Amino acid sequence: MNAVAEAPIETAAPLMPLRRTQRTARPAQRIVLTGFMGSGKSTVGRLLAESLGWDFLDLDDVIAERTGMTIPQIFTERGEAAFRREETAALAAVLGRTRVVLALGGGAPETLGNRLLLEQTPATAVVYLEAAFRTLAERCALQALDPAATARPNFADATLAEQRFRMRHPLYARLATARVDTTALEAQEAAQAVRRSVPGLSR
Ligand code: S3P
């Protein structure tokens, strides 16, 4: 029997997520923005990173860079399940970074492994950017008019998108250490609201 097989089972790292208070007990080293498509994660995240003097990362960009494919290409050529596997690998790869604002893709919290990664990484604030579905749909429709914008395969059908929104809302809410309602906020106001929602950041 080799040493790994003989190791007592108690030495395995516990898979219990850290409680919310434990997760924010230390000043945040990374701020993760979560929320549905159109919630402003990338726009707000960039502004927030700028105001903190931190780096900004968009998880979709990390995936595109790692795979050499665009997000719609991955969905079309390899399917959503393959996209989700790339998403988890990309998240694990970037969570070691410090002084970083990370915008997740809207579907990242659907994967249990992603939620555990986020909950178990200390000094990680997760902020849910909330808005009503109608507002999110309007923002996505506006963004889709921009020829430079990346298409959103999971917003192609508004009815299915609304079902996904209803299914995901409790996941976003449970994962978050703070929530910011962005419905009536400009991007810069939302960035400042996120900043205020994270304890222990120097002003
Ligand atoms: C997705 C959201 C997208 C992107 C992919 C799938 C989703 O990110 O990850 O198209 O399932 O909600 P944004 O939330 O940044 O649009």
Side-chain angles (χ1 to χ4, degrees):
M1 210 186 277
N2 63 30
V4 173
E6 280 169 15
I9 199 99
E10 307 87 79
T11 59
L15 263 182
M16 286 295 292
L18 295 173
R19 285 198 308 275
R20 253 189 200 80
T21 45
Q22 291 173 300
R23 289 164 61 198
T24 51
R26 287 200 238 154
Q29 287 292 334
R30 54 194 79 70
I31 301 175
V32 179
L33 300 182
T34 192
F36 204 66
M37 292 169 273
S39 58
K41 302 177 294 287
S42 306
T43 312
V44 171
R46 261 190 205 93
L47 294 169
L48 175 64
E50 202 177 294
S51 97
L52 289 167
W54 288 12
D55 294 331
F56 171 74
L57 282 178
D58 184 313
L59 194 60
D60 282 346
D61 292 345
V62 178
I63 297 165
E65 200 170 303
R66 288 167 58 97
T67 58
M69 296 168 84
T70 66
I71 305 303
Q73 244 181 333
I74 303 174
F75 269 76
T76 313
E77 294 175 23
R78 297 179 52 200
E80 181 163 352
F83 171 77
R84 296 296 166 204
R85 287 194 293 277
E86 295 293 351
E87 190 172 48
T88 300
L91 180 62
V94 298
L95 270 183
R97 302 259 309 245
T98 55
R99 295 172 66 81
V100 68
V101 177
L102 172 67
L104 297 180
E110 272 190 22
T111 307
L112 173 65
N114 294 345
R115 301 202 298 275
L116 287 172
L117 275 173
L118 289 161
E119 287 170 346
Q120 290 177 339
T121 306
T124 304
V126 180
V127 183
Y128 175 17
L129 299 186
E130 293 188 67
F133 181 76
R134 176 205 275 259
T135 308
L136 297 166
E138 282 168 6
R139 289 183 192 158
C140 285
L142 257 183
Q143 287 165 12
L145 298 176
D146 178 354
T150 306
R152 290 182 162 110
N154 282 345
F155 222 119
D157 178 321
T159 309
L160 289 181
E162 186 160 10
Q163 282 169 13
R164 277 186 195 256
F165 171 75
R166 303 215 177 288
M167 188 265 285
R168 287 176 185 174
H169 169 76
L171 298 177
Y172 298 135
R174 271 208 301 276
L175 182 63
T177 51
R179 294 161 67 160
V180 168
D181 186 344
T182 68
T183 309
L185 300 183
E186 296 293 332
Q188 196 59 262
E189 295 170 322
Q192 291 318 308
V194 172
R195 191 170 171 159
R196 286 192 300 273
S197 78
V198 177
L201 291 176
S202 52
R203 302 286 148 200

